[in-house]
Amino acid sequence: MTEISLTLGDVTLRGTVTGCGPTVLLLHAGGERRSVWEPVAAILARQGLRTVAYDLRGHGDSSGKATTLRTLADDVVEMIGREPVPIVLVGASIGGMAAIAALAEPAVAKRVAGLVLVDVVPDLAPARARSWLDFHGLGGCHTHLVDDVLGSGPALFATAGALDLPILVVHAGRESPLSESDVRRLRAANRRVTVARVPAAGHLVARDAPEELARLVSAHAVAWQSAVPTVERC
């Protein structure tokens, strides 16, 4: 593992690179930090993949604060721009929302071979999302950011529906804020969406089922990146 940093104005994002090969960029959930990806990254490294995981702005060892989704998305744009193409983008919860927002820029989307959304889809019903957060004691956390994310739902859904790249939704089997109808709606909006369910995992799939998540990411990343003739290897 190699420690890295990304300086964006007066904010520094701290990250870790693991392995060698085509790149998978891992974006953690709100309230988490990059270390949640370590078991997943170790397995992906054995499969010949290179992972990059940052602490998001205001999380873990990274400085700054995010009160809008656009701020996080701009950080993701910078992360993507510094990595060899093609990249597979993996986003859990708010990391997935930030990934979708970043991919709204066509030049960014061209650098990405595929997107994995870990127990998140765009445009969740705000009332249901808030109820889920309250039930898990998270209702008072990052309130401005949560408000902005939920208000961005329609725009995020439009972006996801228009993306011309493969998308895998990893749906947790328990304690998930997603409903089956949420997943079906996204599949109807974009024919390139597929779904994999992890019955034993809760919303934080990387914590609950790292081996299964790594297996899914590896299988899809290898297939997606092998279809791109310009894969850069270390």
Side-chain angles (χ1 to χ4, degrees):
M1 292 192 299
T2 303
E3 301 303 307
I4 58 173
S5 63
L6 176 57
T7 300
L8 304 172
D10 60 352
V11 171
T12 299
L13 306 181
R14 304 293 182 183
T16 303
V17 176
T18 305
C20 183
T23 298
V24 178
L25 179 59
L26 303 169
L27 306 171
H28 64 73
E32 286 285 344
R33 56 192 306 164
R34 70 186 189 273
S35 59
V36 74
W37 294 113
E38 288 178 0
V40 174
I43 296 170
L44 294 182
R46 294 196 291 271
Q47 299 300 317
L49 293 167
R50 171 181 176 267
T51 60
V52 179
Y54 285 94
D55 286 335
L56 298 181
R57 179 182 294 245
H59 292 73
D61 298 323
S62 293
S63 61
K65 182 179 181 181
T67 57
T68 67
L69 183 63
R70 186 68 252 168
T71 301
L72 290 178
D74 287 344
D75 290 348
V76 174
V77 169
E78 293 293 333
M79 295 174 194
I80 291 172
R82 283 163 168 74
E83 296 302 328
V85 297
I87 299 159
V88 166
L89 196 52
V90 180
S93 197
I94 201 168
M97 298 292 202
I100 294 170
L103 291 170
E105 300 182 26
V108 175
K110 286 181 180 178
R111 299 181 61 83
V112 175
L115 171 65
V116 180
L117 297 174
V118 184
D119 209 47
V120 66
V121 295
D123 204 18
L124 288 172
R128 178 153 44 83
R130 293 183 192 282
S131 177
W132 187 93
L133 290 169
D134 289 342
F135 181 79
H136 289 85
L138 301 172
C141 300
H142 307 287
T143 53
H144 293 294
L145 180 57
V146 169
D147 289 345
D148 186 66
V149 169
L150 294 178
S152 302
L156 291 171
F157 189 84
T159 295
L163 285 175
D164 186 20
L165 52 81
I167 301 170
L168 171 67
V169 176
V170 178
H171 191 182
R174 56 183 178 82
E175 298 182 359
S176 172
L178 278 62
S179 70
E180 294 294 335
S181 62
D182 292 324
V183 177
R184 286 196 300 269
R185 182 168 173 249
L186 182 59
R187 292 188 71 183
N190 189 323
R191 62 180 178 80
R192 304 196 70 182
V193 173
T194 58
V195 180
R197 290 174 174 78
V198 184
H203 181 57
L204 298 177
V205 182
R207 283 192 180 277
D208 293 345
E211 292 184 358
E212 178 64 10
L213 180 57
R215 184 189 68 78
L216 290 167
V217 171
S218 175
H220 286 78
V222 169
W224 294 341
Q225 290 172 318
S226 65
V228 181
T230 56
V231 171
E232 297 183 27
R233 299 180 183 272
C234 47

